[in-house]
Amino acid sequence: MEIIIVRDADEVGRVAALKIASVVQRDPEAVLGLATGSSPTGIYASLAARVAAGELDFGRASGFALDEYVGIPLEHPESYASVIERDVVVPLGMDASKVRVPDGRASDIEAAVVDYERAIADAGGIDIQILGIGANGHIGFNEPTSSFASRTRIKTLAPQTRADNARFFDDPSQVPTHCLTQGLGTILDAHEVVLVAQGSAKASAVAGMVEGPLSAMCPGSALQLPRRATIVVDEAAAADLQLADYYRYTYANKPVWQRFE
Ligand code: F6R
């Protein structure tokens, strides 16, 4: 894991966007794994600004959303299909036909999740997976005790996750109880991952992910396993990291040839 601690939320978005930009510049047909929620909005805004400036082109890239709610209509403004369209596809100029979201409205959920996994495999796998982390340590909606081998499937949202996401809905009771999410095994298959976290509410989850034991109780700790995981956090989210000074020192002394920013 590479841990990058930066000043504030804006800087988290800017630095993580540079990482993603470096992948798309190397391979314009890159396959992106797309998180939703508040955490990655700075990444998408930063990438969109570079697209608008003519510095980046996502026209040939493709994408797979990390997750989707079950039980709300496609056109609901908080369905992740709507969020991905609004926050990612349009501002980045992606080809909508190359961006998929798990089908939370499918009458046959079992078939839909198998189909989603097959589509990822057919695309050659995910080149870079963008992630946030929940206050309880979830990544995607792989709530605590999710199997590290899990694939895309239906999950029940933890009560804390529903409470955290109530801010996106008019009434907390409207937050769906279920979702489809890429599994931890799906996420671990990505060629590389970049996870962003901002704010003190994420400090404990970030510490568990980076320095805690590898444990299904903190699904984010699965990111100790892949060869390439970049974690970009602000000072508040880094507050519980025991080795924060070491990560700062490592980043400050990173060889020039390894830098992406
Ligand atoms: C979103 C997702 C979730 C969020 C997490 C943090 O697609 O899979 O894991 O990344 O719940 O949410 P925010 O960013 O809203 O704090």
Side-chain angles (χ1 to χ4, degrees):
M1 265 183 183
E2 177 176 22
I3 320 298
I4 303 175
I5 303 173
V6 297
R7 170 174 82 240
D8 57 23
D10 285 348
E11 192 64 1
V12 169
R14 191 188 71 80
V15 171
L18 290 173
K19 178 82 191 167
I20 293 142
S22 72
V23 171
V24 174
Q25 278 163 337
R26 200 169 55 232
D27 176 9
E29 295 185 1
V31 181
L32 312 177
L34 302 166
T36 49
S38 304
S39 305
T41 54
I43 298 179
Y44 300 138
S46 178
L47 291 173
R50 295 192 59 191
V51 168
E55 295 168 11
L56 271 180
D57 183 0
F58 285 85
R60 288 159 60 200
S62 52
F64 288 90
L66 192 52
D67 36 30
E68 174 61 297
Y69 290 120
V70 170
I72 57 174
L74 190 65
E75 57 281 2
H76 189 292
E78 294 307 327
S79 79
Y80 284 166
S82 296
V83 174
I84 291 281
E85 169 80 11
R86 192 170 63 230
D87 290 356
V88 185
V89 173
V90 172
L92 267 52
M94 293 184 80
D95 176 348
S97 71
K98 291 184 176 161
V99 179
R100 286 196 52 165
V101 179
D103 185 0
R105 291 146 298 274
S107 53
D108 186 344
I109 291 286
E110 285 294 306
V113 294
V114 168
D115 183 51
Y116 201 66
E117 286 281 332
R118 189 181 306 120
I120 293 174
D122 288 349
I126 290 172
D127 292 305
I128 184 157
Q129 173 67 60
I130 301 166
L131 296 168
I133 187 165
N136 66 359
H138 71 227
I139 54 173
F141 281 130
N142 295 283
E143 300 286 21
T145 72
S146 289
S147 162
F148 281 19
S150 52
R151 312 303 304 188
T152 303
R153 67 210 185 291
I154 190 165
K155 285 292 286 182
T156 308
L157 294 172
Q160 182 180 355
T161 304
R162 290 191 71 227
D164 288 346
N165 286 7
R167 68 189 191 282
F168 295 114
F169 293 82
D170 294 336
D171 185 283
S173 67
Q174 293 173 356
V175 185
T177 51
H178 290 82
C179 63
L180 302 186
T181 181
Q182 288 185 33
L184 292 174
T186 319
I187 292 168
L188 293 178
D189 279 351
H191 187 67
E192 65 182 305
V193 302
V194 56
L195 182 144
V196 289
Q198 308 91 345
S200 56
K202 301 292 176 70
S204 157
V206 167
M209 165 178 68
V210 175
E211 296 176 342
L214 193 61
S215 166
M217 283 299 279
C218 179
S221 69
L223 299 188
Q224 295 173 22
L225 293 171
R227 287 182 60 207
R228 295 185 189 85
T230 306
I231 314 294
V232 189
V233 294
D234 66 5
E235 291 287 349
D240 291 355
L241 290 171
Q242 292 177 42
L243 299 185
D245 285 344
Y246 171 65
Y247 309 137
R248 289 192 187 92
Y249 172 84
T250 305
Y251 189 56
N253 290 287
K254 187 169 171 169
V256 172
W257 61 268
Q258 273 192 334
R259 291 184 173 270
F260 56 83
E261 76 286 22

